[in-house]
Amino acid sequence: MSEIPAKATESEDPSNSGRARAAGDLSDARASHGTPASDGTSASPVPARSAAADARDDRDARDDGAARHDRDARSARDPRDPDATGFGSEEPRPGEPLWQSKPPGSIYDYIKVASFSIGPDGLVDQWSLRAEQVFGIPAARAVGMDPIEAFIDPDLRAQGQRKMAEILDGREWTGVVPFRVPDDSDEGGRGKDGLAEVYVMPTRTEEGEKAAVCIVVDVRTLRRMETDLAASQAIFGQSPFGFLLIDTDLRVRRANQRFASLFGGTPDDHRGRGVHDYLARPEAERVAATLRRVLESGDSITDMHVTGFLPGSDERRHWSVNLYRVHSGSGRPIGIAWLGIDITARRAAAREAAAARRNLALLNDAGARIGNSLDLETTARELLDVVVPGFCDLATVDLYQGLLAGDETPPGLADGSAELRRVAFSSAVSDAPFVGGGGEVAVGAVHHYPFNSPCADALRTARVQHVPGEDGGLVQSTLAVPMVAHDTVVGLAQFARTKGSEPFGDRDRELAVELAARAAVCIDNARLYRREHERALILQRSLLPPGDPVAAGLDIACRYLPGNSSADRHSEVGGDWFDVIELPGHRTALVVGDVMGRGLRAAVAMGELRSAVRTLALLDLEPAEVLSALDEIARGLGAPGGVQQATRAARRPREADLSEVYLATCVYAVYDSVTRRCTFANAGHLPPVLVEPGEDALMLDVPPGMPLGVGGEPFEEVEVELPEGALLALYTDGLVESRDHPLDEGLQAFVGALTDPTRPLEDVCDHVLTTLDTHHGEDDIALLMARVQGLPADSVGDWTLPREPRSVGRAREFARTRLQSWDLEALVDTTELLVSELVTNALRYGEGEIRLRLLLDRTLVCEVWDSGLVQPRRRRARDTDEGGRGLQLVGLLSAAWGSRRTPRGKTVWFELPLPDGETTLTDPAEALLSLF
């Protein structure tokens, strides 16, 4: 059971000393609660007060209350008054009312204070509105209630009755009383519990009877206020951030120590200051507008950035400020709370992080965009595309002229004054020219830097040089960065920023060096590739026919485009080739082939196959036999032991073979200008295209066969008679196939482009290359076109001789007569002698009828045919031999001679040059004497 803590007091000053003692009793009551005294009264008795003293105390209490209400009224009347905000006080104005109906802006907004009076009978006779709010009981119900019976716990009612008797006996009393509010709706009869500090003042009624006035304060509210006040003091005073309380006039009313330590003085020195006392005018106006907006709208501001300077410092500081409106207990705005955090270091770190991220992004971008092309100029432009405008405003790249010309080591590295070529320029400032190092230099121009210039010093020392801008110029500063790859300076990159931009720092210098180094490595790789590419092209072109091919009975035109015509990439050389080979009897072999693969390997394989084709063609083999021999050679290219090893490997069971495989396609055609017949054999190549006069172009049906290098399959031949004026086209797949155009589409386009075969062949070739997509650069393109122009009938002499001795004389007579008709008297003696030798050999060693044929074109060709299969063999005759010198004589007097197999025997031939005034013919007599 708890005793009602109580303390009897003197009634000399109930409004002041009694309150002080009551506050002390609050802590005593907490300590003594639940420990009743032996007599149920206070520990020290106090004499009873007189009625006069009671009346004086009541008067004093009324005066104090009136003064307090006067201040409250002023606060309510003028909300902009300092008293209204709780930050100041003001004397009352004359003639103004002291009371007002609005809630006062004072401590009573926060604590619950109620009053009621007790009549002489110990029952409630007056019940205030605040009492209704505190206890939750309306006045109509409370008046007439016994407060002890209604609010005191039954266990404490006896003590409460004794205290009530003492109070009605005229004694003043202050104490903390636990109470409960009766609740009729509670089935148990208990309502909510509370704890109140009660100040009881004895009074008298008009009849002179003793009564009492009770002032009740909710102790729990006081305790919460005490805790809140201590917490707010700790937060405000101990906060590591700048804390301000700003009133409605935007003046500082309170500052904490942290704020004062930054801006100087003590916290009290900052009272009454405004934002203009701390910030520059533009920033102060912005912050003041924000404060007014917060005060009017009540919306909080989070992380508002404020920039300014601390007293005595030129360093710009940055703060993050949070603002929110502060209200009184009645909900009326009384000011703004300012919480500021210095974020200068954080901003600097953020800038550093942003710069690092920017640099990393530039490096990533450079890695993705620089070096995609193996072209020097393109790589330089890719570097400038990365740095402008992300890193600088203007930029140039100069490369050594010797490096661009293909020199192994650029000249002039010792002094940095060698010739350079400006290969790239970029500007983000309205195409402003880049002026530096002695004047404006156009892209593509060759120049050099003076020996004492910063740019020459950068090239000489391979170190970055900082070049300040000229007065009155556009450029603020320039970084001259040498481009170093593999310890070799290949050029100079210049990065410039215009005035008004952020100057270059150490981090920018490091980034510039890294970007230039990456570009330099790519440029050096492009240089090496260009060198290898040019060498491969030289090799490849050296293996192709030099100049314009010439053939008997054919008008020839050809085109070869290496696979490097693409604008954005340089392909490696390929293995495409073509050839025009003159054969005996004014025949011509036309060859077009394509080695699969690219690079030097393909070019070398192409050269070997081309050489093999020419060798096999000189043996005068049939087209199918030529391709079969080429197939063996192609298989031998990829085998360590050559052709024989490849042949043996082909006969063994298939096993894992680590040797390289060379595959190629080839079409081989032999054209006879006398008969205008052409024999084709194909090894996996695209079909030839024929355009006859007045007809549409068509693809010849030549069996494709297997590619060279596969082996195991024979090749078929197809013979086609070509009309006079017909156009024959041989080509590689690069002409009709690309990544964007499939093969069928390309073939149809090629056939459609051959619409007018009567045009000059050179024009036809140009028209085909212009019409088709030949600039893709994905593969080499070889195009060989021939217009049929057979030998005229009067340029051919053909005779059949019986197998008898007199045929030798008749052959000489036929030859003399035909040469005279051709106005070739200078060749009569030599021709008669050689024809006599060949016909004699045919009679002695050959079989069947003898055929003599003379062919006149660019040279004179004589052929002797017979049915024998034994080929003549030239040998050196001894001095004692009577014969065996005929073929030696043929070799001495003719420009060329030989023999070939035919379907019905063999043909022995020789060739004589036509007299043109420059060619000296061998005297037959001298040739005969030289044999002995």
Side-chain angles (χ1 to χ4, degrees), residues 292-313:
R292 283 190 290 269
R293 186 170 69 251
V294 172
L295 191 61
E296 294 171 1
S297 65
D299 296 334
S300 300
I301 299 295
T302 303
D303 196 22
M304 178 181 71
H305 285 199
V306 178
T307 304
F309 299 89
L310 294 177
S313 174

Side-chain angles (χ1 to χ4, degrees), residues 820-873:
Q820 290 175 349
S821 67
W822 289 342
D823 295 330
L824 296 176
E825 287 84 357
L827 298 179
V828 170
D829 294 340
T830 302
T831 304
E832 284 185 346
L833 177 59
L834 298 184
V835 166
S836 176
E837 289 293 334
L838 295 185
V839 172
T840 301
N841 285 342
L843 287 173
R844 295 180 62 180
Y845 306 109
E847 298 177 3
E849 292 183 339
I850 301 173
R851 181 182 176 187
L852 173 65
R853 190 168 71 166
L854 293 179
L855 307 175
L856 177 62
D857 191 60
R858 292 178 294 108
T859 60
L860 175 66
V861 175
C862 176
E863 296 178 341
V864 176
W865 304 50
D866 67 78
S867 301
L869 299 178
V870 179
Q871 298 289 329
R873 184 172 61 87

Side-chain angles (χ1 to χ4, degrees), residues 39 45 95 104 209 219-220 225 254 288 322 444 541 566 843 867 923:
D39 58 352
E209 295 180 315
V219 173
R220 294 183 178 178
M225 288 181 59
R254 188 175 180 184
N322 298 324
R541 291 186 183 278
S566 175
L843 287 173
S867 301
D923 186 9

